Amino acid sequence: VQQLFEEAFTSWLAGPCGVLSFVCSVLLSRGVSTVKEDMDDMSVPLIGRFGHCSQELVNLMLVGEAVSNVFDGTRFLGDDPSTGLLLSGISGDRVGVPHIGFLS
């Protein structure tokens, strides 16, 4: 794997579109349909205004899931869970305890 990475680094990662190639690799590794399922709102782009990463893309690269929030598990937005909006955070059951995360 290390040899493959070193060869790839000199060809497509070090080129003018290296970051884009890396993002495409991460996206295709998870699967486009799975990434869409991870997101709370599928219409939100992964690359936002001014070329910044969305929270979904940051989470995809850090923990392997394109969830829209940084809290653990799921939470309801609103007073009544039956009428509120269900928001998805990072699922410890699926990804385990990440070795990297956010400071808050």
Side-chain angles (χ1 to χ4, degrees):
V1 172
Q2 182 176 352
Q3 180 182 1
L4 180 63
F5 179 76
E6 289 172 359
E7 291 171 2
F9 182 79
T10 58
S11 62
W12 56 272
L13 283 178
C17 297
V19 173
L20 180 60
S21 296
F22 179 67
V23 169
C24 288
S25 174
V26 169
L27 182 63
L28 293 174
S29 294
R30 177 78 173 153
V32 175
S33 60
T34 306
V35 167
K36 285 184 177 183
E37 290 172 8
D38 289 345
M39 299 167 66
D40 285 339
D41 183 2
M42 290 184 240
S43 66
V44 174
L46 293 176
I47 304 295
R49 191 171 182 192
F50 306 115
H52 296 270
C53 288
S54 67
Q55 188 63 54
E56 290 86 352
L57 184 57
V58 171
N59 287 342
L60 178 63
M61 291 190 184
L62 286 178
V63 297
E65 288 185 338
V67 292
S68 303
N69 301 290
V70 295
F71 51 77
D72 295 332
T74 56
R75 294 186 182 173
F76 281 99
L77 182 62
D79 295 331
D80 185 12
S82 64
T83 60
L85 177 65
L86 180 64
L87 301 175
S88 300
I90 298 170
S91 173
D93 295 337
R94 287 188 294 197
V95 296
V97 178
H99 298 289
I100 188 170
F102 297 98
L103 295 175
S104 56

